[in-house]
């Protein structure tokens, strides 16, 4: 009997709870039905608002890389051990500052050798004035020697001609690139002037509109909010004008920098051309000398008077020795490497005492007053971008600090792998942040 009571009591309690829950749900449904019925007959609630002009701003965010506008790798033109190298990564350098010195022992030895060759040529010229008729054996030997000398001199001339052509072509390509950058900078200046004119016109229009709204407000025709909106528009247009003027100053500075770079390239080109011309003149003089010496030997073989020809040949030999000496002395200047720009050393691949070779960079110097920030954008974003368009750059390393920049380059060719376009914005870095 007790077991039945223990089972029956929980069943009764559970049944009571279920019945109570069903009753509550039924009442809520009845109440919701009454509310829907009352709302169906009520009038609709409508709110009106005045139309307003607002700017719709579309933005794009991407992670980019900071790069130097000018990145120069400094390498020697001659081989030798490094005897002077004091700058390291992070050091600031000036244009024309001596950065590296190469051991001049080999170069000075070549100069002394050419000086000895010149003295020997002058001595042979003096001896020729005393000797007119060499022996037959000496003449035969001399002919074979001079034939070999002609062949060697002509090969040297061909090599010197090819070297000169390639060097001048490289200089021309560098000058063309510098001129292209100058023209691009001038185009940016023109765009900046156009932006200033547009911003000035917008400012004047906003000012006129503000004065008109202010007059209507004083007469009680418009609200104070309209006056504030018009005043804000004037401030926005004034800021746009200031931004356009800043862009013009930045573009002008870039054009001056490109012009300075071109002048530096022209100076280096003149030095390269002078050296190439000296090498070519030396090679031509050697050919002339060898041919003249050969003609002299052949004339002696025919036992014809060769006094005058020998003198001319030896004079040509003196000229060739002098040209070789000038070429060797010009290489002394190549042992001193100077900075081509004002910047910061960002790379050092060799140390004091290392063997430097032509074409192998010793230092890397980058200009830091202005920097690129390069990003990759998809095609649908690239078509909406334009040069001089403002951009905002933020750096996590600077606690999220933001900087105002402008678009300076848009690569029209997409990367074959990512199918994205490279966009560069230029950022002022005068404080070296």
């Amino acid at each position: 009997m007790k077991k039945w009571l223990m089972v029956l009591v929980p069943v009764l309690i559970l049944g009571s709870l279920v019945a109570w829950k069903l009753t509550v749900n039924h009442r809520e449904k009845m109440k919701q039905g009454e509310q829907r019925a009352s709302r169906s007959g009520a009038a609709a609630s409508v709110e009106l608002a005045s139309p307003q002009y607002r700017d719709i701003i579309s933005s794009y965010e991407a992670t980019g890389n900071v790069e130097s506008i000018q990145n120069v790798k400094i390498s020697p033109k001659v081989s030798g051990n490094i005897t002077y190298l004091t700058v390291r990564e992070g050091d600031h350098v000036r244009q024309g500052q001596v950065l590296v010195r190469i051991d001049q022992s080999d170069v000075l030895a070549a100069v002394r050798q050419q000086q000895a060759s010149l003295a020997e040529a002058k001595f042979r010229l003096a001896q020729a004035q005393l000797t007119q008729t060499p022996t037959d054996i000496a003449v035969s030997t001399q002919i074979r020697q001079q034939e070999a000398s002609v062949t060697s001199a002509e090969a040297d001339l061909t090599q010197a001609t090819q070297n000169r052509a390639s060097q001048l072509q490289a200089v021309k390509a560098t000058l063309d690139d510098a001129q292209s950058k100058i023209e691009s900078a001038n185009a940016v200046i023109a765009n900046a002037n156009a932006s200033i004119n547009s911003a000035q016109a917008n400012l004047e229009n906003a000012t006129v509109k503000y004065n008109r709204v202010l007059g209507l407000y004083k007469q009680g025709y418009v609200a104070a909010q309209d006056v504030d909106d018009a005043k804000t528009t004037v401030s926005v247009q004034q800021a746009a004008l200031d931004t356009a003027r800043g862009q013009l100053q930045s573009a002008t500075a870039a054009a001056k920098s490109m012009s300075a770079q071109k002048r530096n390239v022209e100076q280096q080109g003149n030095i390269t051309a002078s050296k190439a011309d000296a090498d070519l003149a030396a090679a031509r003089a050697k050919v002339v000398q060898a041919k003249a010496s050969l003609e002299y030997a052949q004339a002696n073989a025919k036992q014809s008077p060769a006094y005058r020809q020998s003198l001319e040949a030896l004079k040509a030999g003196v000229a060739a020795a002098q040209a070789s000496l000038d070429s060797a002395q010009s290489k002394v200047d190549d042992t001193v490497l100077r900075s081509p720009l004002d910047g910061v050393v960002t790379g050092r691949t060799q140390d004091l005492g290392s063997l430097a070779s032509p074409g192998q960079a010793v230092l890397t110097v980058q200009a830091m007053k202005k920097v690129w920030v390069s990003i990759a954008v998809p095609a649908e974003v690239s078509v909406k971008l334009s040069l001089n368009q403002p951009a905002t750059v933020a750096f996590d390393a600077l606690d999220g600090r933001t900087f105002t920049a402008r678009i300076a380059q848009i690569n029209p060719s997409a990367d074959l792998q990512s199918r994205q376009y490279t966009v560069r914005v230029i950022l002022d870095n005068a404080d070296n942040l």
Side-chain angles (χ1 to χ4, degrees):
M1 186 69 177
K2 292 182 180 179
K3 293 182 179 179
W4 283 101
L5 289 175
M6 292 176 65
V7 174
L8 182 61
V9 171
V11 170
L12 291 176
I13 295 174
L14 180 60
S16 300
L17 291 175
V18 172
W20 175 79
K21 183 63 176 179
L22 292 175
T23 302
V24 172
N25 291 340
H26 179 70
R27 291 177 180 177
E28 290 181 354
K29 290 182 179 179
M30 293 290 293
K31 185 176 180 181
Q32 292 176 357
E34 293 176 356
Q35 290 177 353
R36 284 196 298 268
S38 62
R39 287 198 301 268
S40 63
S45 176
V46 179
E47 295 183 1
L48 301 179
S50 300
Q52 297 180 357
Y53 288 98
R54 294 183 179 179
D55 294 332
I56 299 178
I57 300 176
S58 177
S59 62
Y60 178 78
E61 294 184 1
T63 300
N65 298 322
V66 180
E67 305 170 357
S68 172
I69 295 179
Q70 290 179 280
N71 186 349
V72 181
K73 296 185 181 299
I74 301 176
S75 60
K77 296 181 180 179
V78 296
S79 300
N81 292 326
I82 299 175
T83 60
Y84 175 83
L85 177 57
T86 59
V87 295
R88 291 191 174 274
E89 294 87 342
D91 291 344
H92 292 262
V93 296
R94 304 181 308 277
Q95 182 177 3
Q97 178 180 344
V98 176
L99 303 180
V100 182
R101 293 184 184 273
I102 307 299
D103 185 12
Q104 298 180 347
S105 301
D106 294 340
V107 177
L108 293 179
V111 171
R112 290 191 292 269
Q113 182 179 2
Q114 295 303 326
Q115 289 173 343
S117 297
L118 178 59
E120 182 181 358
K122 290 180 178 180
F123 174 76
R124 287 199 301 266
L125 177 59
Q127 287 290 351
Q129 295 173 352
L130 301 176
T131 304
Q132 298 183 10
T133 307
T135 63
D136 293 339
I137 297 176
V139 169
S140 177
T141 303
Q142 187 178 18
I143 289 176
R144 290 193 297 270
Q145 290 177 346
Q146 295 308 322
E147 286 175 346
S149 297
V150 169
T151 302
S152 177
E154 288 177 344
D156 292 341
L157 177 60
T158 301
Q159 183 65 38
T161 303
Q162 293 176 352
N163 291 342
R164 180 180 183 276
S166 61
Q167 290 173 354
L168 293 181
Q169 185 177 3
V171 171
K172 183 178 182 302
T174 306
L175 287 175
D176 291 343
D177 180 65
Q179 182 63 35
S180 175
K181 290 181 179 179
I182 292 175
E183 292 175 357
S184 176
N186 290 333
V188 173
I189 292 176
N191 291 336
N193 286 323
S195 299
I196 289 177
N197 294 334
S198 175
Q200 184 66 44
N202 292 338
L203 176 61
E204 293 175 355
N205 183 41
T207 303
V208 171
K209 183 176 180 180
Y210 168 73
N211 293 331
R212 186 184 303 118
V213 172
L214 182 61
L216 293 174
Y217 170 75
K218 291 180 178 179
Q219 297 176 10
Y221 292 112
V222 296
Q225 182 62 41
D226 295 331
V227 177
D228 294 338
D229 293 342
K231 186 175 182 181
T232 301
T233 302
V234 171
S235 300
V236 171
Q237 297 302 331
Q238 180 64 50
L241 178 59
D242 296 339
T243 300
R245 289 172 176 170
Q247 293 174 351
L248 176 60
Q249 293 178 355
S250 178
T252 303
K256 291 181 179 179
S257 176
M258 290 301 103
S259 298
Q261 182 179 0
K262 181 182 178 183
R263 288 193 298 270
N264 182 57
V265 171
E266 289 175 345
Q267 293 174 358
Q268 295 296 328
N270 292 334
I271 295 174
T272 301
S274 299
K275 182 178 180 299
D277 290 339
D279 293 340
L280 186 60
R284 287 173 177 170
K286 287 182 179 179
V287 172
V288 172
Q289 174 195 3
K291 289 182 177 180
S293 299
L294 179 59
E295 291 175 358
Y296 167 72
Q298 291 171 345
N300 285 337
K302 297 178 182 179
Q303 296 183 355
S304 61
Y307 178 70
R308 182 174 300 175
Q309 288 84 348
S310 67
L311 289 180
E312 293 298 326
L314 293 175
K315 287 179 181 178
V318 173
Q322 183 64 55
S324 298
L325 176 60
D326 294 339
S327 177
Q329 288 176 338
S330 68
K331 293 182 179 180
V332 176
D333 295 334
D334 294 338
T335 61
V336 179
L337 306 184
R338 302 177 183 272
S339 175
L341 50 86
D342 293 337
V344 179
V345 176
T346 59
R348 171 172 164 167
T349 58
Q350 298 192 42
D351 294 323
L352 193 66
S354 300
L355 178 62
S357 300
Q360 295 183 355
V362 178
L363 296 172
T364 300
V365 178
Q366 298 185 15
M368 302 298 292
K369 294 302 180 183
K370 293 183 181 297
V371 294
W372 297 123
V373 179
S374 299
I375 63 172
V377 301
E380 62 271 15
V381 176
S382 175
V383 297
K384 298 179 182 180
L385 301 179
S386 61
L387 293 178
N388 294 320
Q389 188 172 348
T392 301
V393 183
F395 293 91
D396 294 339
L398 299 178
D399 297 329
R401 182 176 175 181
T402 59
F403 300 84
T404 300
R406 62 178 179 81
I407 296 179
Q409 286 186 3
I410 301 176
N411 191 342
S413 176
D415 182 81
L416 295 179
Q417 300 297 327
S418 64
R419 303 293 183 183
Q420 293 192 334
Y421 296 80
T422 300
V423 176
R424 284 177 167 176
V425 301
I426 190 170
L427 184 64
D428 185 29
N429 190 36
D431 296 334
N432 291 320
L433 291 181

